[in-house]
Amino acid sequence: MFKKIFLSSISIVVLAFLQHFVFSNLVILGASPDILAVFIAFASVTIGQRTGTTFGFASGLIVGILSGNIGLSALIGTVEGFVAGFFHVSEESHPTLTKKRRMFYSASLTSIAIGNLLLALMNNPMALPLYYRIPSMVVIGTLMNIFLTVLMYQLALKKTMRD
Amino acid sequence: MLSFFRFIARHTAYLLFLLYCGISLLLMQLQRKETIDAIRTKGLAVNASIAEQISYFNDLVNLREDNEHLLLQNAKLFSRVMSQETALRDARSLNAIAAKDAAPNGRFLVARIVDRRFSPTDNVLVINSGSNQGIVKDMAVLTPDGLVGRVTTVSGNYARVMPVINKDFKVSVVSDSTSTLGVLSWKDGNVDMAHLENVPASSRIKVGERLTTSDHSTFALRGIPVGRVAKISKGKLFSDIDVRLAVDFSSLSYVLVARAMPSGEKLDIMNGDEGGKVQEQQRK
């Protein structure tokens, strides 16, 4: 467990930098992929709600320090980690890989949608109207990140989840 | 008390969530405070330095493309400068109209040096353009700084170039202000210097004069810079003249190949083969 938390902590730092310098620049129709949110959802599902919430807060702080928006990023990260934690799958119940995958997808979808909604409501640097921000950031952003979730699961997280 | 700790243990996640949310909201409220502002400033400095490194890397990736684009632009500008300089010289010697046909047409190919053999007595360059790109034997190779050499062997996509700093290389040159003619060659192992031969001791050539290729050259168009007179030692009949070459051969990576060459008819006459083609043309 400690090894898992240690590796996840390092991954969170690396992914926070990647998110800020690479993925945040890939804006498609007003939304950008959020690799960090997907990973926080993964950490919450596999490790637990407390760790997920802490990871969310920490990663939000890092991204916030880099972007200059410390409080908001930390708040969104915390909320995402906490919400995803409700889908936590305990290893003691000996879950199947299919169940883990299903819970991970659900956690990712819910936490990202809520995170994007918070972001759309609380941050509006371009002074866009709400009827534009909600569809572009929440709907398109969530759809884009669902695609990213499947991709990340197939490429990297599946093996970790199986172990 | 025990039940209190039990409550905390049971609801740690909620308490953590509330704590983190509280800190986050506090941070949002304190955005303009000095301490938070200092953290933000430090964060932005880190952000900017990493972003600069990333952009530097992107620049490096695009450098080759930019370089080739600049070289093409340079070739165009160089051809313009050369034609203007030549026209100016022609106007000065009241020979502009007659010389117009021989003026450079400004068409150059850009080629990259892919191989280079260097020894004190031998120096050969290989460029990545050949007959498929329109290169033929005896074309002049140059940079905007001056003459590099001449094409000696051509394959499909590559060509071998004999540079000025080759013991077998010779080119006819003329000085800028006194119009002194001579033959430039390279003798020793110094890559900066060459020698000017066949200059009579009575010549008025001066140190610092610029030398360019002359009309007598069998491969290069006139007007290509070659170097500057560095030292003159007067002999009984001829002067021994050292020339500082215009091109820095130690840092060559791209060159221009002049498509235009002296006319074949002129070369035939210079080589003494005026019998066949010229007479035939006169008959027509």
Side-chain angles (χ1 to χ4, degrees), chain B residues 55-74:
Chain B
S55 85
Y56 178 69
F57 178 74
N58 285 340
D59 287 350
L60 272 181
V61 171
N62 296 326
L63 204 58
R64 189 169 169 173
E65 204 177 299
D66 292 346
N67 215 8
E68 279 173 12
H69 175 72
L70 282 172
L71 277 164
L72 279 171
Q73 210 168 21
N74 214 4

Side-chain angles (χ1 to χ4, degrees), chain B residues 12 17 43 82 118 136 161 198 201 221 224 241 244 259 263:
Chain B
T12 326
F17 174 67
M82 254 186 77
F118 183 77
V136 293
V161 177
N198 300 345
L221 291 165
I224 300 173
I241 298 171
R244 183 168 296 282
R259 279 180 174 163
S263 75

